[in-house]
Amino acid sequence: MPSDENYVKNTTSFGALGLIPLKSCEELGNKIDEYLVRWRANRDPDNYEEVTRQGYKLDSYIVSASVPRFGSGEAKGTLGQSIRGLDLFIMVDVTNYSLTYSLCGHVNHMSPDDHFADLKRIIAAVGGKARRITVIIPFLYESRQHRRTTRESLDCAIALNELCNMGVTNIITFDAHDPRVQNAIPLSGFETVQPSYQFIKGILNNVDDINISPEHLMIISPDEGATDRAVYLAGVLGVDMGMFYKRRDYSKIVGGRNPIVAHEFLGSSVEGKDVFIIDDMISSGESMIDVATELKKRKAERIFLLSTFGLFTNGLEKFDKAYEEGLIYRLVTTNLTYQTPDLLEREYYINCDMSKYIALIIDTLNHDCSISHLLNPYDRIKNFVAEYQKKQG
């Protein structure tokens, strides 16, 4: 089996590659571009067909694009170069609240709605001239409003249909809150990618004394919705898993959701074991801290919090306090969403860089090859754990 970056060797590309990371994804997009430039510079273009050789080796694959705003807050999408015939990949981070714009003289922070509108503006500026459009939206827009239970909007499904109606062929997201939302666009490409390998790699590269065995490690799902993630990770690592059931008060709504009354635990003993609590997102962090507290009551050893998206909507103070009190040992999230400088400076924080993984997906799709080997990291995790255990002796 060839290495991932050479998996596409001697295959024909679908079209010349173009990458548009919107300002919300600028840093991540630049890292991805560096990987693509380096890999393609080391490939022999004579092995490719003429169509593939044209524009295959460039100093950068980033297409010049911007979304300037008027004083009223209105905006427009503009492209700084031709995109005719490109296999275009557009990236946006809808959770990046650090960006601001002037609204009638007031400073306004960009909301997910603003970011999604900018994405549509760039797609509209493309005007159907690209050969194919793939949207990479790590935190799926409105993914928490993925189903209808009463008289309410179905925002995520509407957004997916909007993108497909505008000419988007593929939508790639990470750890969708509920993957079944893809049923809203059954005839279009939709992939939800899990960062399981990056989690394990990040933890094992930063902590050198983890005993990966059923007697010393356990994977915990903080609620029933995260069970699949915990089952997969426990299966790959060969350890046990447990889960918490959130008992809620459905007669009240606080902060847009039903308050949690209690966390009920289902699983074997965690006494003396290191514990990985895994979920798709940390919003306020209240639920994760509550689960960690319950596990400490059950005499768990070190507690690791793993989450694809660290939103930290209420700040980092409660995590600082939990770390100082010995409640949590490490906090692990990815760079798929905006990270504050304060977060990156925390000694208990482990940052999982996803840029190489996304670059591999883009490179493989541009060559019209299957990404199945990238979506299932089972062998990759097994090999990394085996190397880690060998170093431990």
Side-chain angles (χ1 to χ4, degrees):
M1 176 69 71
S3 60
D4 287 325
E5 62 270 22
N6 291 320
Y7 191 82
V8 298
K9 190 174 182 181
N10 302 336
T11 60
T12 302
S13 67
F14 184 81
L17 176 61
L19 179 64
I20 302 181
L22 297 188
K23 195 168 182 62
S24 59
C25 252
E26 199 169 46
E27 184 177 347
L28 181 61
N30 288 333
K31 289 182 179 180
I32 292 168
D33 186 51
E34 290 173 5
Y35 278 112
L36 293 170
V37 170
R38 185 164 70 248
W39 293 338
R40 296 191 171 204
N42 294 327
R43 292 175 189 158
D44 184 0
D46 293 332
N47 292 331
Y48 294 102
E49 296 180 2
E50 180 63 27
V51 174
T52 300
R53 287 204 299 269
Q54 294 176 2
Y56 192 77
K57 293 190 175 187
L58 299 176
D59 293 332
S60 176
Y61 298 96
I62 293 179
V63 175
S64 174
S66 62
V67 186
R69 288 186 178 269
F70 304 100
S72 61
E74 298 167 292
K76 62 178 180 180
T78 64
L79 299 173
Q81 65 188 77
S82 172
I83 44 77
R84 187 177 295 276
L86 293 185
D87 186 15
L88 206 55
F89 292 80
I90 307 175
M91 299 177 58
V92 62
D93 174 13
V94 298
T95 66
N96 192 337
Y97 62 88
S98 70
L99 302 181
T100 61
Y101 62 90
S102 177
L103 177 60
C104 298
H106 300 280
V107 176
N108 203 40
H109 285 265
M110 291 189 69
S111 69
D113 293 341
D114 292 321
H115 287 298
F116 188 69
D118 284 357
L119 169 64
K120 292 190 292 183
R121 290 181 175 109
I122 291 298
I123 296 172
V126 171
K129 301 302 188 296
R131 179 167 294 184
R132 181 174 63 181
I133 299 177
T134 299
V135 167
I136 300 176
I137 180 167
F139 184 92
L140 186 60
Y141 175 69
E142 290 292 352
S143 59
R144 298 170 81 174
Q145 188 52 27
H146 62 284
R147 63 182 178 180
R148 176 181 287 152
T149 56
T150 181
R151 298 186 186 94
E152 57 188 9
S153 58
L154 203 53
D155 296 60
C156 191
I158 292 172
L160 293 177
N161 272 285
E162 276 189 291
L163 294 178
C164 292
N165 290 337
M166 293 183 75
V168 173
T169 304
N170 299 308
I171 297 171
I172 297 174
T173 189
F174 285 78
D175 210 349
H177 196 62
D178 189 337
R180 290 173 294 184
V181 75
Q182 66 186 290
N183 294 337
I185 49 169
L187 300 181
S188 299
F190 182 96
E191 297 290 351
T192 176
V193 187
Q194 298 291 335
S196 306
Y197 171 66
Q198 285 73 20
F199 282 152
I200 298 303
K201 183 178 179 181
I203 292 173
L204 299 189
N205 278 340
N206 286 274
V207 184
D208 59 9
D209 61 346
I210 296 179
N211 189 333
I212 304 175
S213 66
E215 297 77 26
H216 299 90
L217 180 65
M218 194 167 175
I219 313 298
I220 299 294
S221 170
D223 54 39
E224 59 276 19
T227 305
D228 287 345
R229 302 178 187 91
V231 168
Y232 179 82
L233 205 57
V236 177
L237 297 178
V239 298
D240 199 3
M241 73 148 288
M243 68 164 284
F244 279 87
Y245 167 68
K246 292 178 182 176
R247 191 149 51 84
R248 296 180 180 271
D249 183 354
Y250 289 97
S251 66
K252 302 176 183 176
I253 295 180
V254 179
R257 61 180 182 174
N258 303 107
I260 299 169
V261 177
H263 290 83
E264 308 290 351
F265 182 65
L266 302 173
S268 58
S269 173
V270 298
E271 185 174 351
K273 296 180 182 178
D274 288 336
V275 172
F276 292 175
I277 307 174
I278 185 168
D279 206 354
D280 61 333
M281 74 177 77
I282 294 176
S283 184
S284 66
E286 177 184 331
S287 179
M288 279 285 212
I289 298 297
D290 287 347
V291 168
T293 302
E294 291 296 323
L295 289 171
K296 276 296 183 182
K297 289 179 182 176
R298 292 167 172 78
K299 300 182 180 179
E301 194 65 33
R302 296 179 297 185
I303 295 178
F304 296 74
L305 306 185
L306 285 64
S307 178
T308 307
F309 308 108
L311 305 181
F312 306 112
T313 55
N314 291 349
L316 298 171
E317 289 75 15
K318 65 179 60 180
F319 293 95
D320 293 341
K321 183 179 179 182
Y323 176 68
E324 290 168 4
E325 294 175 350
L327 191 61
I328 66 172
Y329 181 70
R330 290 291 182 268
L331 172 63
V332 187
T333 71
T334 71
N335 62 340
L336 292 171
T337 52
Y338 171 66
Q339 299 166 302
T340 64
D342 285 346
L343 174 65
L344 296 173
E345 291 173 358
R346 294 300 197 270
E347 63 178 344
Y348 57 82
Y349 179 65
I350 296 176
N351 176 30
C352 297
D353 184 10
M354 301 295 293
S355 57
K356 183 177 181 181
Y357 193 20
I358 297 175
L360 287 168
I361 291 173
I362 291 174
D363 195 31
T364 306
L365 288 176
N366 178 241
H367 280 260
D368 231 13
C369 293
S370 170
I371 60 173
S372 297
H373 66 292
L374 295 174
L375 297 181
N376 186 1
Y378 183 88
D379 292 335
R380 197 177 284 113
I381 293 174
K382 281 287 190 183
N383 293 336
F384 196 87
V385 169
E387 287 296 320
Y388 179 81
Q389 291 175 326
K390 187 186 296 183
K391 290 177 183 177
Q392 287 183 317

